[in-house]
Structures are given as structure tokens and as C-alpha cells.
Amino acid sequence: MVAFILIILGLCLGSFVNALLWRIHKQASLRPVKSRKPKLAVNEPNLSIMTGRSMCPNCQHLLAVKDLIPVISWLQLRGKCRYCHKRYDDTPVTELVMPLLFVLSYIYWPLPWDDKAVFLFVCWLIFIVGFVALIVYDIRWLLLPNRIVWPLAVLAVIQVVVVATLYGGGLNSLLSNLYGLLIGGGIFYLLFQISQGEWIGGGDVKLGAVLGIIVGGPWQALLLLFVASCLGTLFSLPMLLTGRVTKSSKIPFGPFLIVAAILVTLFGTSLVTWYKHFLLLV
Ligand SMILES: [Zn+2]
């Protein structure tokens, strides 16, 4: 039953993320540099995330309910707009990945289901929505927008405070999260400074710090960086060797960080044990 609800929720939120990304990108490209509030001309589409209705990115035709059923509408129309017949840029991948991650998180949730675990799980589902949004945005536009990273940071801080106060985590849990933040953000900040932003972007520093809080401790944060680097290397090496990318091509690092954070959160305890052994052996 829970799995079923999670699948439906994931499908809807996946669809929401698709619309959200397009709007954020569109707003960012409409916005003149340095001025925060774009002046909307009368006939410009309503791009507000809250009040704007879903529309076709190409012809701006408002979409009806029948066009908005996650995955099914996309399959039925073969990824094209019902009105202008142009192909949509986005695919139902987010709509499929979201429920998958929700259900996997439920199955592999590492804590026994008490009040605290339920609270953490709900926060985690929201984190996943942000994670998927960031992955897609970073792959498409090589950027981790603040408008997604900051809300995640705020939620992470709220979660830490609630666990420390309401759920009796106390000072120890606060400190543990703080070390996570310092390691997750600090190492990237150093890399960013040393390379003058060549190796990683400023967005990765912020994301590293936020994920450092979310994974919950110094060991987890170290593991996060380790797993992310491994994933990054595994992924880019074949492409470097086959010449599909060169050393100077920009490969988004955000997705590796996020996938690593998901692995560390769900399988952290066993991974941390293994990683401690690994570090002590070397
Ligand atoms: Zn259209």
C-alpha cells in the first residue's frame, strides 16, 4: 500500500519537476543580468511556479488535464505537443526515476520505523525531488541553480534542528551534522579555490555542503566524496579513452555527488564500516 502511494506521488512529483525545471531555466534566461525581477510584458507567458499553468514550452499553449497525465500522456503523444506537434525537450525519465527512487528508499530505509524515522523519511522524499531536479538541470544546462539548492539547504537545517531538539539528538547530532557540512563543503571549497573554479563549479561547493549535512556525519561526508569521485571517474574514463570528451570538456559533477548521497544515506552503515577498513588498510 505504501509502495503504491509512493509510486503515484513519485509520478506526480516527477511531472512537477519537469515543469519546474523548464520554468526556472526560462525565468533565468529571461532575467536581465543583475536585475532580479523581470518585467513581464502583457502577452508574455505566466512563468510563475505557483500560479502559472502548465504549458507547451514551444507554442505556449496551455495544457489540458489529458495532456498532463505523467508518462501516459507522453507515450500517447509520442513526446510531441498536441497543439503544435513539436517535440518536447524533456522526456518522462524524471517521472519514472522519481517513483523508483521513492520505492527503493522505502525498501532500503536504514532505520526502524519509529516517529523519528518517519519524519526523516518524509524529509528524504523532499530531498529526492530536489535531487532529481538538480541532476536533470546540471546535465542539461551545466548548472546547479541556487533556487533549488537553497531550499534544500533550509530543509536540511530544519531537519537537523528537529532531530537535535524534538528527537533527543542533542549536541552530538548537531556537531556530527556540522562536521558533515565542513567536510562536504570544505574540501570542495579548497578544490574550487586551488583550481580557480576550473575543476569544479561554485554550485558543487554549495551542494557538497548541503549533502554533507544530509548524509549526517563526518565519515558519511568523506564516504560521499569518495563514492562521488569513484562514480565520476568510472563514468568519464571510458569517454576520455574513446575520445568522446576531452580533458577540457565540462562534465557535470553534481549528478555524481547526488547519486553518492543517495547510496550513502540508504546503504551508509555497511558502506561506512567497509570504508573505515579500507582507509585503515591503505
Ligand atoms: Zn506546443
Side-chain angles (χ1 to χ4, degrees):
M1 187 59 197
V2 177
F4 179 73
I5 296 173
L6 287 175
I7 290 174
I8 300 294
L9 194 68
L11 281 171
C12 296
L13 287 171
S15 185
F16 167 73
V17 161
N18 255 344
L20 177 82
L21 290 177
W22 175 70
R23 271 154 211 264
I24 290 182
H25 182 67
K26 203 78 176 171
Q27 283 176 352
S29 53
L30 277 178
R31 184 177 300 157
V33 191
K34 288 287 168 195
S35 123
R36 291 189 66 84
K37 280 205 168 164
K39 271 200 174 161
L40 284 180
V42 182
N43 56 358
E44 254 181 60
N46 181 356
L47 290 172
S48 160
I49 293 154
M50 291 303 173
T51 59
R53 287 194 38 204
S54 298
M55 63 179 96
C56 164
N58 301 311
C59 66
Q60 263 117 42
H61 193 294
L62 288 183
L63 299 183
V65 175
K66 63 179 174 189
D67 308 321
L68 291 171
I69 308 161
V71 186
I72 296 173
S73 297
W74 192 91
L75 287 177
Q76 189 196 1
L77 301 165
R78 295 199 177 74
K80 288 180 195 163
C81 170
R82 192 191 296 276
Y83 309 98
C84 66
H85 307 290
K86 273 199 189 142
R87 193 162 279 283
Y88 291 136
D89 292 333
D90 46 2
T91 57
V93 172
T94 47
E95 290 164 4
L96 291 173
V97 166
M98 198 81 77
L100 187 70
L101 285 177
F102 278 14
V103 171
L104 284 178
S105 301
Y106 177 65
I107 295 173
Y108 292 106
W109 193 244
L111 302 168
W113 290 103
D114 54 10
D115 285 359
K116 181 183 162 192
V118 172
F119 167 72
L120 290 175
F121 187 69
V122 172
C123 290
W124 176 247
L125 293 185
I126 305 174
F127 286 136
I128 287 187
V129 174
F131 288 169
V132 173
L134 285 174
I135 290 181
V136 176
Y137 206 102
D138 204 11
I139 291 176
R140 261 208 208 161
W141 295 297
L142 289 172
L143 196 78
L144 297 163
N146 284 336
R147 295 187 57 190
I148 307 176
V149 176
W150 287 132
L152 289 183
V154 171
L155 179 64
V157 171
I158 293 175
Q159 175 183 298
V160 168
V161 172
V162 169
V163 168
T165 52
L166 288 183
Y167 294 114
L171 193 61
N172 279 342
S173 82
L174 274 184
L175 281 178
S176 175
N177 287 109
L178 182 66
Y179 296 143
L181 173 130
L182 291 177
I183 291 174
I187 293 180
F188 280 152
Y189 183 71
L190 281 180
L191 288 176
F192 181 72
Q193 288 298 333
I194 295 170
S195 71
Q196 308 269 322
E198 274 297 306
W199 301 337
I200 52 167
D204 296 320
V205 179
K206 280 176 261 174
L207 182 64
V210 175
L211 294 178
I213 307 177
I214 294 175
V215 294
W219 279 107
Q220 286 87 340
L222 278 175
L223 184 64
L224 167 80
L225 299 181
F226 176 72
V227 174
S229 319
C230 288
L231 290 173
T233 313
L234 278 178
F235 182 82
S236 3
L237 211 56
M239 300 222 302
L240 275 172
L241 291 177
T242 55
R244 278 184 60 199
V245 295
T246 62
K247 267 190 175 166
S248 56
S249 329
K250 285 226 178 249
I251 297 170
F253 194 60
F256 301 117
L257 266 177
I258 289 170
V259 172
I262 294 174
L263 290 175
V264 170
T265 303
L266 295 182
F267 308 103
T269 328
S270 37
L271 279 175
V272 165
T273 319
W274 172 83
Y275 185 55
K276 275 185 187 166
H277 281 296
F278 176 80
L279 278 189
L280 292 175
L281 282 177
V282 183

